[in-house]
Amino acid sequence: FVTTANSEASVLKGDKFDIRWISNLTPDYNSCGQSTVKPNGQTDNTIWLYGSGQNGYVPNIDTSNVSLVGTYNLSVWCTNGISIISNTAKLYVIDYSLNVSTSGDKCLSEQANLAITETWNIVPGATAYKITRTSPSLPTVIYSPLVANQKIEASSTSATFNYNTQYTYTVAATVNGVEQIASLPVTATSPSIVNTNCPQPTLLLE
């Protein structure tokens, strides 16, 4: 009696997933139900509806309505007076909310302050994050920032990007040694060196 061939999966909050379960139970196991355990350990079978028979397939289950991100444990049970419970399928719901911001254009004297910064939500249980940066005409660059406790952030300085170039970023968390689904891509244009409204050197004659 199994819930799904793939017992672990990750999904971005707001996306949808499918669940399938099969059994070899005899027909007298005709009363079936489900168990959905939220990341906080509480059982809540009102979040999603599935698990109403010995065998089943429910596509396009929506995650938009979940209030918590993290691991949801899904299982199905049937009884004829004696309950038989399926294995547990683990669904990891992630909300990165990736944001990419730039320092804005700077004068040459402020070149050291040119930066692109990526911030995202903490993913419960994550031990690492991988940022992937792509550009139509440049090689793909991968960064692996460390995990922070409060604010998750990674910055690139002018030495690591081209000026006035469009870059696309994603972030993916590693949880229990497994790289999870990546965020939706976010695109930003890197800042440039400008010559207008910049401090000018003053020549003094003595």
Side-chain angles (χ1 to χ4, degrees), residues 29-172:
Y29 284 87
N30 54 15
S31 178
C32 301
Q34 67 185 59
S35 175
T36 301
V37 181
K38 300 190 297 185
N40 61 4
Q42 296 179 348
T43 299
D44 185 350
N45 293 321
T46 65
I47 303 174
W48 303 304
L49 297 179
Y50 59 95
S52 57
Q54 284 192 13
N55 304 281
Y57 170 65
V58 181
N60 298 322
I61 301 176
D62 194 359
T63 63
S64 298
N65 61 333
V66 299
S67 58
L68 299 173
V69 294
T71 303
Y72 286 78
N73 294 307
L74 286 65
S75 58
V76 179
W77 54 265
C78 290
T79 184
N80 65 353
I82 300 176
S83 295
I84 303 294
I85 303 174
S86 72
N87 69 304
T88 298
K90 295 182 178 296
L91 180 72
Y92 205 90
V93 179
I94 300 175
D95 179 16
Y96 292 107
S97 294
L98 175 64
N99 180 68
V100 179
S101 60
T102 74
S103 61
D105 298 339
K106 300 289 185 181
C107 299
L108 184 60
S109 60
E110 302 174 305
Q111 182 179 3
N113 296 325
L114 287 171
I116 304 175
T117 302
E118 305 85 41
T119 57
W120 59 95
N121 290 338
I122 293 174
V123 175
T127 55
Y129 296 91
K130 182 180 80 175
I131 294 177
T132 301
R133 187 188 77 187
T134 58
S135 179
S137 58
L138 297 170
T140 296
V141 177
I142 295 176
Y143 306 92
S144 295
L146 299 176
V147 177
N149 291 327
Q150 298 298 326
K151 183 180 180 182
I152 299 296
E153 175 179 291
S155 293
S156 303
T157 63
S158 58
T160 59
F161 58 77
N162 291 357
Y163 301 144
N164 193 31
T165 300
Q166 188 178 82
Y167 291 109
T168 298
Y169 293 84
T170 61
V171 61

